[in-house]
Amino acid sequence: MPCWFYEPEDLLNTPSMKDGMDEGTEARYRREGARFIIEAGTAMKLRYDTMATGVVYFHRFYMFHTFKEFPRYRLTQGSLWSPCDVIIVDWSSLFIFGWKSRRNTKKCKDIIRIAKEILPDHHFAAFGDDPKEEIMTYERILLQTIKFDLQVEHPYSYLLKYAKTFKGDKEKIQKLVQMAWTFVNDSLCTTLCLQWEPHITAVAFLYLAGRLSKSDLLDWSGKSTKNKWWESLSEDVSLDIMEDQQILLGCSRKPLHQIDKSPLTSDAEKSKDEPRAKHSKSEVREAHTTASTPPPSKSKSVTIVHDKKQPVQNQCL
Amino acid sequence: MATYQREVIEFPYCEEVSKYEKIIKIGQGTFGEVFKARHQKTRKIVALKKVLMENEKEGFPITALREIKILQLLRHENVVTLLEICRTKASAYNRYKGSIYLVFEFCEHDLAGLLSNSNVQFSLGEIKEALKQLLNGLYYIHQNKVLHRDMKTANILLTKDGRLKLADFGLARAFSFPKPGQPNRYTNRVVTLWYRPPELLLGERNYTQAIDVWGAGCIMAEMWTRSPIMQGNTEQHQLTLITHLCGSITPEVWQDVDQLELYQSLELPKGQKRKVKDRLKSYVKDQYALDLIDKLLGLDPKTRTSTDEALNHDFFWEDPMPCSLTRMLSQHTQSMYEYLAPRRRIQQNHPPSHPAPPPPRQNAATSKLGLNTASFEKTY
Ligand SMILES: Nc1ncnc2c1ncn2[C@@H]1O[C@H](COP(=O)(O)OP(=O)(O)OP(=O)(O)O)[C@@H](O)[C@H]1O
Ligand SMILES: [Mg+2]
């Protein structure tokens, strides 16, 4: 079985980096790729988790192939590779299980039509003379690379599940989940999904949201047996893991040591507007700049499955 | 056209199928060819199902993607195991699109092949064992919110050591329990006609796991009759046959049946009595067996027995108790499959196979559905 989770060292030794690409550039390509998928998915009115799946496929793909190799290998002589060529991999990621199966009346030509609509001409040119053939070729390459492993879980479902175990001020809990939800959205632009299982990410983001909003959860089901709420949710989550810079910095807008001192921020929106803390890892900071939630689509496709009175509706991509 | 700079792309997770040597073709379905094959080095025997890609205008077939996704989710001794997915060489010459094969654990027989061979005799205990395993498999997949949607004897496999496995998830899908006011709208163009339950024939699209239970009932009776019990030619004909066996379909025996789309437009014979036990008693001597078949073939899906109830039925708990199939199967060294069965059977009895590809309207439904489906299905 493939393991889709990697150690930090592995992420500094990706195929692209072995091929001479620097860390910052790879992070940028990943971020841009993820953003394309989300933008395109939003335009296609896909569900938030379908898009997230596309993004996960995309991140996994580049643990086996280099950004130089793909899609460079298909370039005609003379044209220079540009990061926007990543688009084709993106579109194929979306095509596989997002587009195709959710709305399988849609044909490959429809996705190409949308690509043409929303992409600038010089980006669309990446699809070559026969865009349909190009997408299908990539679909196949992508499927084989990801081992046809189509079961992808996301932190979203865990957030919803965990939220149900929290007791107390409904509004406060909603805000907490909403903030954590935004962090998950943001984290898609990073390699977080290659580092931590979704349930751990979910707990860590709830924890982070709690700290940022200074609202500690005081009651939850299972409290009688456990000291901390996260211990009731998952056996394998510890404070150490959650404080792991990789998780929190992957998404928080400030370094952890500043979080405690930060003025009380009651919701995600506020924290978004605050000046961003400087951090040595430039790509981390950049990720935050670009990872803002795309405008909530009006389409109903973003309604959440589990709960009718969903607090987080507008937050889901 | 793009000029490809690289000849071959590496896929660490998707090995070449050439590590297996094909021995013989054992199946041909709508969606692929099936071969018995042997691993060159380990000598392990497997079944290879080739994904048919000719005429695929939309890339990798969605049916195969669903089948793969569902099989990856399911792990149970009564569900066929998907071992891996292999490919033929991908290179510039085939535009990086070689063939794809699903590699399954190998099973010596399918139930259609066994039942069509009169040398194969099941004792009552053996029939109980087979059905128990079948219902166990169904119980498991339903627990995992998967509908099989193509129950029939050709899709039930048996290993030589007596394990029964549900196979062919090519039509399967994830389901959710319908919520009040939010009915599911699945396609009703599923299940091979002879095994199709009345609610599907009447146009129900908010169906449940009870559709697979009906199929299990047909298969159970077939363990004695040795050929499918209701061999309709058309949907109307199939409904007529069902009525002749299970009695007239009316709101008295099936609450709200008159709400179904096709209830008015199809002809439903009136005044028919339910004769399931009567018509089958010359084949099935065991009273408990008759009673269970009668319950599995309940007309109203809401009251049709569940896999759970069926497994608790006296049939499985009265003497003779279920007994291992190993001894009986060990007498048959020759594999038996529907595909390899004598032509006669295939020509005469081959059921109209899969219904035509789902009509487009299914798809609008699928996307609506997205809103209330089971969580694992969300990435569909
Ligand atoms: N693992 C296996 N071991 C042995 N035989 C198998 C195996 N899988 C499939 N077969 C044989 O191949 C036949 C076709 O396989 P399967 O039903 O999976 O394919 P299909 O193309 O989807 O068929 P259908 O048209 O009925 O949907 C089966 O009826 C069975 O006889
Ligand atoms: Mg079959």
Side-chain angles (χ1 to χ4, degrees):
Chain A
M1 273 313 274
C3 172
W4 296 115
F5 299 104
Y6 298 85
E7 295 299 323
E9 306 88 84
D10 303 328
L11 294 170
L12 291 174
N13 196 21
T14 61
S16 301
M17 289 183 207
K18 281 189 203 142
D19 205 10
M21 185 174 282
D22 67 275
E23 196 188 333
T25 312
E26 170 159 352
R28 185 158 60 84
Y29 290 160
R30 283 188 185 269
R31 198 166 60 239
E32 288 178 357
R35 263 177 46 211
F36 278 131
I37 292 185
I38 293 165
E39 272 169 30
T42 309
M44 297 180 331
K45 301 196 170 63
L46 293 182
R47 276 161 52 108
Y48 64 96
D49 48 0
T50 309
M51 291 184 264
T53 302
V55 175
V56 172
Y57 292 158
F58 164 81
H59 281 305
R60 290 179 180 177
F61 183 83
Y62 284 107
M63 292 311 282
F64 292 94
H65 299 294
T66 75
F67 282 95
K68 289 183 170 180
E69 171 194 20
F70 277 94
R72 195 207 208 153
Y73 83 100
R74 45 151 290 281
L75 284 187
T76 39
Q77 64 290 13
S79 52
L80 277 178
W81 179 64
S82 76
C84 63
D85 285 346
V86 172
I87 294 168
I88 302 182
V89 177
D90 283 343
W91 285 83
S92 313
S93 308
L94 272 177
F95 183 58
I96 292 185
F97 239 70
W99 185 248
K100 204 172 185 172
S101 51
R102 275 242 173 261
R103 317 170 161 250
N104 46 8
T105 43
K106 302 290 185 190
K107 297 281 164 37
C108 191
K109 67 176 196 304
D110 298 317
I111 200 175
I112 293 166
R113 184 178 45 74
I114 294 186
K116 194 163 185 174
E117 264 167 39
I118 70 175
L119 291 173
D121 286 350
H122 64 287
H123 283 193
F124 185 74
F127 286 90
D129 309 334
D130 189 351
K132 191 172 162 187
E133 187 63 28
E134 202 64 25
I135 290 237
M136 290 200 221
T137 304
Y138 271 91
E139 178 195 38
R140 191 70 64 78
I141 294 173
L142 191 62
L143 277 171
Q144 292 176 45
T145 303
I146 61 170
K147 208 197 173 213
F148 288 85
D149 195 344
L150 304 165
Q151 299 286 352
V152 180
E153 278 193 313
H154 301 293
Y156 300 119
S157 53
Y158 290 97
L159 287 182
L160 297 175
K161 188 169 133 200
Y162 295 163
K164 287 192 185 136
T165 70
F166 297 156
K167 294 179 185 161
D169 184 347
K170 277 255 152 52
E171 208 172 307
K172 223 157 125 186
I173 293 172
Q174 274 186 12
K175 276 197 174 136
L176 212 66
V177 176
Q178 203 161 342
M179 198 190 285
W181 192 280
T182 319
F183 294 154
V184 177
N185 289 348
D186 291 358
S187 75
L188 288 175
C189 291
T190 72
T191 52
L192 200 74
C193 64
L194 298 176
Q195 298 178 63
W196 296 99
E197 291 87 337
H199 69 278
I200 296 185
T201 305
V203 177
F205 284 170
L206 281 170
Y207 170 75
L208 178 65
R211 287 184 66 173
L212 275 171
S213 59
K214 289 265 164 72
S215 59
D216 206 15
L217 279 165
L218 294 176
D219 200 12
W220 62 94
S221 41
K223 187 173 182 187
S224 50
T225 52
K226 297 282 198 274
N227 287 323
K228 295 288 178 198
W229 57 265
W230 56 85
E231 291 172 353
S232 305
L233 299 181
S234 177
E235 301 259 296
D236 50 358
V237 178
S238 69
L239 203 54
D240 279 354
I241 289 187
M242 291 196 297
E243 298 233 335
D244 186 299
Q245 301 272 325
Q246 293 287 340
I247 298 197
L248 297 185
L249 286 182
C251 268
S252 81
R253 292 180 174 78
K254 329 163 171 267
L256 194 52
H257 58 86
Q258 288 194 6
I259 287 174
D260 285 335
K261 292 180 217 136
S262 71
L264 194 139
T265 39
S266 60
D267 62 40
E269 285 315 306
K270 240 186 220 167
S271 73
K272 218 184 256 174
D273 296 334
E274 277 170 16
R276 292 179 180 91
K278 286 214 180 70
H279 191 264
S280 55
K281 271 188 166 181
S282 59
E283 75 279 4
V284 171
R285 203 188 62 235
E286 273 185 53
H288 307 153
T289 330
T290 52
S292 59
T293 324
S297 130
K298 284 205 191 86
S299 107
K300 56 188 180 310
S301 63
V302 292
T303 319
I304 295 164
V305 201
H306 303 262
D307 218 343
K308 285 225 195 72
K309 299 179 245 74
Q310 256 314 317
V312 273
Q313 271 196 13
N314 293 333
Q315 292 292 342
C316 16
L317 301 188
Chain B
M1 265 302 97
T3 41
Y4 291 81
Q5 288 174 6
R6 304 199 35 159
E7 286 293 283
V8 176
I9 307 171
E10 303 294 325
F11 295 111
Y13 285 154
C14 193
E15 294 184 24
E16 280 184 42
V17 74
S18 58
K19 68 179 179 181
Y20 297 103
E21 51 182 317
K22 287 180 187 165
I23 301 172
I24 183 181
K25 181 166 165 180
I26 52 177
Q28 167 76 64
T30 340
F31 302 122
E33 278 177 310
V34 183
F35 299 90
K36 178 179 183 179
R38 184 188 294 117
H39 193 285
Q40 306 264 19
K41 290 217 183 71
T42 65
R43 314 307 284 168
K44 185 183 164 100
I45 302 283
V46 296
L48 299 178
K49 180 166 168 179
K50 184 178 178 181
V51 178
L52 278 191
M53 228 97 58
E54 289 96 52
N55 311 325
E56 273 307 329
K57 304 224 162 31
E58 295 301 319
F60 200 80
I62 181 71
T63 46
L65 284 178
R66 275 193 176 170
E67 179 166 15
I68 292 169
K69 192 176 179 197
I70 284 175
L71 284 164
Q72 283 168 342
L73 178 90
L74 302 173
R75 280 271 171 268
H76 189 265
E77 56 181 14
N78 297 122
V79 175
V80 71
T81 311
L82 177 67
L83 299 170
E84 63 175 328
I85 295 168
C86 283
R87 63 187 166 94
T88 56
K89 236 191 194 60
S91 70
Y93 300 106
N94 53 20
R95 293 224 58 174
Y96 298 92
K97 288 194 279 192
S99 305
I100 299 291
Y101 287 86
L102 310 195
V103 184
F104 290 100
E105 66 175 323
F106 179 73
C107 303
E108 273 71 16
H109 314 281
D110 69 36
L111 194 55
L114 287 172
L115 292 177
S116 68
N117 184 330
S118 53
N119 294 323
V120 179
Q121 291 298 332
F122 289 89
S123 70
L124 184 55
E126 286 159 355
I127 290 181
K128 289 185 181 185
E129 177 64 23
L131 285 166
K132 192 170 127 191
Q133 294 192 39
L134 187 150
L135 289 166
N136 265 327
L138 268 188
Y139 177 78
Y140 169 80
I141 69 165
H142 291 162
Q143 282 288 305
N144 282 281
K145 298 209 162 55
V146 169
L147 300 178
H148 186 281
R149 306 201 301 183
D150 199 11
M151 292 295 285
K152 61 176 178 181
T153 49
N155 291 339
I156 311 284
L157 307 177
L158 283 123
T159 65
K160 65 170 182 294
D161 45 359
R163 280 255 166 273
L164 177 146
K165 315 246 176 193
L166 303 181
D168 194 353
F169 286 76
L171 280 184
R173 69 156 295 144
F175 73 94
S176 61
F177 297 102
K179 302 198 174 82
Q182 287 185 325
N184 292 323
R185 289 181 59 75
Y186 305 132
T187 172
N188 51 29
R189 317 277 316 253
V190 288
V191 189
T192 306
L193 188 57
W194 296 348
Y195 299 85
R196 205 177 296 166
E199 65 269 28
L200 287 182
L201 293 163
L202 288 171
E204 176 68 276
R205 302 182 61 183
N206 185 24
Y207 50 80
T208 63
Q209 59 275 47
I211 66 162
D212 291 335
V213 172
W214 177 273
C218 297
I219 292 170
M220 178 168 178
E222 205 173 325
M223 296 298 292
W224 285 274
T225 62
R226 306 294 289 229
S227 64
I229 55 170
M230 291 176 279
Q231 307 184 11
N233 305 320
T234 61
E235 305 191 355
Q236 170 67 66
H237 184 210
Q238 190 68 27
L239 265 178
T240 308
L241 293 178
I242 290 175
T243 310
H244 287 157
L245 185 68
C246 304
S248 291
I249 298 174
T250 62
E252 282 78 62
V253 298
W254 179 348
Q255 202 193 339
D256 293 335
V257 65
D258 45 346
Q259 307 294 310
L260 290 177
E261 202 176 316
L262 303 176
Y263 180 77
Q264 309 297 344
S265 51
L266 285 169
E267 205 175 299
L268 299 169
K270 300 260 151 38
Q272 295 287 324
K273 276 217 197 62
R274 191 171 173 90
K275 310 186 239 329
V276 178
K277 291 185 180 176
D278 251 15
R279 297 242 333 254
L280 286 169
K281 70 174 185 243
S282 59
Y283 299 94
V284 188
K285 306 291 179 206
D286 185 76
Q287 283 311 307
Y288 298 111
L290 281 173
D291 189 64
L292 180 54
I293 296 174
D294 194 35
K295 293 199 157 81
L296 293 168
L297 293 179
L299 281 174
D300 181 354
K302 292 186 289 301
T303 53
R304 192 175 301 151
T305 198
S306 68
T307 45
D308 196 24
E309 284 161 4
L311 283 164
N312 283 320
H313 191 277
D314 287 342
F315 175 65
F316 294 110
W317 303 99
E318 291 290 333
D319 283 334
M321 288 297 279
C323 74
S324 165
L325 296 156
T326 324
R327 208 186 49 84
M328 185 274 283
L329 290 173
S330 68
Q331 297 165 10
H332 304 282
T333 47
Q334 183 84 37
S335 268
M336 280 168 265
Y337 296 109
E338 181 187 55
Y339 176 72
L340 298 174
R343 283 284 143 211
R344 216 169 350 107
R345 177 188 149 87
I346 290 183
Q347 269 162 15
Q348 279 180 0
N349 282 353
H350 200 66
S353 56
H354 283 308
R361 56 165 207 263
Q362 172 220 351
N363 307 306
T366 319
S367 51
K368 254 184 228 149
L369 252 178
L371 303 180
N372 59 347
T373 37
S375 61
F376 88 82
E377 195 232 351
K378 279 193 271 172
T379 50
Y380 256 48

